[in-house]
Amino acid sequence: MATPNTAATPTFMVFATLRDDTDFAEFAALREDEQKQLEVLRSQGRIGAHYVSPARRATFVEVVAADEAEVAETLATLPFARFFDAEVYPTTPPDPAEIAHRARA
C-alpha cells in the first residue's frame, strides 16, 4: 500500500538514464501506457514532478514514499521502468510551498 502524501511524507528524486540496449519500437509502443500510469500515480499522490531530458536520455521523477523500497515498488509499476537504470536520492523535507501544495492536492 502506498504511503499517504502528507506534509511529513518523505520524497525522493529518481534520476534514470535510458539503457543502451533499449528497443525503441517497444519503447514507443508503451508511451501511452506510461502516461496513463503516471496519471494514476499522480492522482494517488505517489508521483510529483516529472521531467525528461531527451538530449541526455534521462528522466527525473519525484516519488513520494516512506522509504526506498516503496520507491522501487512505485517505479516498478511504470511500463518504461525496464528501459532505465535508476538512482534514488532522498530529498530534504518539503518546504512551506510544497507543504501548501500537498495540502491542496
Side-chain angles (χ1 to χ4, degrees):
M1 175 157 209
T3 299
N5 183 354
T6 67
T9 306
T11 60
F12 298 81
M13 184 54 68
V14 176
F15 169 68
T17 53
L18 198 60
R19 292 190 180 117
D20 289 336
D21 64 350
T22 297
D23 176 336
F24 287 99
E26 184 181 1
F27 186 86
L30 292 172
R31 185 173 307 280
E32 187 176 326
D33 293 338
E34 177 80 359
Q35 293 304 314
K36 287 179 183 176
Q37 182 60 13
L38 282 168
E39 287 304 316
V40 167
L41 293 171
R42 278 189 193 100
S43 73
Q44 295 172 348
R46 296 169 62 188
I47 293 282
H50 177 237
Y51 301 99
V52 177
S53 175
R56 297 287 177 107
R57 298 170 45 131
T59 187
F60 303 85
V61 181
E62 178 188 32
V63 179
V64 180
D67 53 35
E68 289 191 35
E70 192 172 303
V71 171
E73 290 172 16
T74 296
L75 293 175
T77 71
L78 292 168
F80 282 178
R82 67 177 173 261
F83 301 113
F84 286 90
D85 291 319
E87 296 179 48
V88 177
Y89 299 90
T91 61
T92 58
D95 63 20
E98 178 61 17
I99 291 170
H101 171 74
R102 289 184 189 187
R104 289 190 307 269

